[in-house]
Amino acid sequence: MEFAKLVVAAAMRRAGLDDWIPEGDGKWSLPLQFLPDGAGWVELMRLDPGVRVGLHRHTGEVHALNLAGERRLNDGRVLRAGDYVYEPAGNVDWWEARGSEQLLVHVVVKGSVEYLGAHHSVLQRIDTADRIADYRRHCAAIGSRPHELV
């Protein structure tokens, strides 16, 4: 967990933030970099135990490294600190934080994320421009100047 704390502290300084960006009950993000030409983003994601990331599809590949805590994937696998997952473009899944410790995941997202409803209808699409806007909106709300995370 000490390594994870060092990573978070460095990411906070780089982003010019004092705290995580809230994304809903028990879920936060911390941007590390926005990829050129809207190709994707790199972030830390933090979830409280029991919080689920709903059914979603990635239009590009995803690389995810657990830094702390546990998460259970929809296929039943349980990932712990040090476990890595690659998701190819088009992958559809959901997952949840579990255990007693907050989950911390380093994620590289290429393309966009599409949250899905019945019959895999797209309920919401999040792309790089959305993530940049979220970061800038949060900075404005806390009176901080956004850093260039490219």
Side-chain angles (χ1 to χ4, degrees), residues 27-45:
K27 184 180 181 211
W28 301 266
S29 67
L30 179 57
L32 299 175
Q33 185 169 11
F34 302 112
L35 302 179
D37 302 321
W41 64 93
V42 182
E43 70 180 10
L44 295 176
M45 184 184 291

Side-chain angles (χ1 to χ4, degrees), residues 9-116:
M12 290 281 182
R13 282 191 304 277
R14 187 169 190 280
L17 299 175
D18 292 328
D19 205 357
W20 293 76
I21 299 171
E23 291 194 5
D25 290 339
K27 184 180 181 211
W28 301 266
S29 67
L30 179 57
L32 299 175
Q33 185 169 11
F34 302 112
L35 302 179
D37 302 321
W41 64 93
V42 182
E43 70 180 10
L44 295 176
M45 184 184 291
R46 188 180 90 194
L47 282 83
D48 284 338
V51 173
R52 179 180 281 199
V53 174
L55 188 66
H56 61 280
R57 173 176 47 229
H58 294 281
T59 64
E61 62 185 19
V62 173
H63 301 268
L65 175 66
N66 273 39
L67 298 177
E70 293 183 353
R71 66 183 177 129
R72 182 176 65 90
L73 306 180
N74 63 306
D75 65 8
R77 285 182 290 163
V78 175
L79 305 177
R80 294 173 178 82
D83 288 340
Y84 165 85
V85 171
Y86 167 76
E87 299 177 24
N91 188 64
V92 175
D93 69 338
W94 60 263
W95 52 271
E96 64 186 356
R98 55 171 271 169
S100 59
E101 182 182 1
Q102 279 190 328
L103 173 66
L104 179 62
V105 183
H106 176 275
V107 185
V108 178
V109 178
K110 302 274 186 87
S112 60
V113 179
E114 299 174 331
Y115 286 91
L116 306 174

